[in-house]
Amino acid sequence: NDGGPAFPTLDNTEHWRHLGVSIRDYFAAAALQGCLANPNANGSRAEFAVDAYLYADEMLERRKR
């Protein structure tokens, strides 16, 4: 479950269309930005990417509650 579109728009038939990133990707990008803003952060790019999606997945879980 990727949470659906982060920025859905109505098309001319009034149906929601997925334009852009998923909520999961949006959350991961925000988490990655926060992690990289820490001047003491250590790790490889792969490790940061994995961690960002772990944060995103947890945020999606918390939205369900």
Side-chain angles (χ1 to χ4, degrees):
N1 177 14
D2 67 1
F7 306 104
T9 59
L10 283 174
D11 63 17
N12 60 358
T13 64
E14 297 190 16
H15 290 97
W16 289 103
R17 293 185 344 163
H18 187 307
L19 298 175
V21 300
S22 68
I23 292 174
R24 182 175 186 250
D25 289 336
Y26 182 77
F27 283 167
L32 181 60
Q33 184 178 20
C35 290
L36 294 177
N38 179 355
N40 299 315
N42 296 329
S44 69
R45 287 182 288 219
E47 291 169 325
F48 279 112
V50 167
D51 286 346
Y53 277 101
L54 289 173
Y55 281 114
D57 291 340
E58 184 63 27
M59 287 188 279
L60 286 171
E61 277 299 312
R62 297 291 173 166
R63 288 181 80 213
K64 292 178 185 177
R65 297 178 188 180

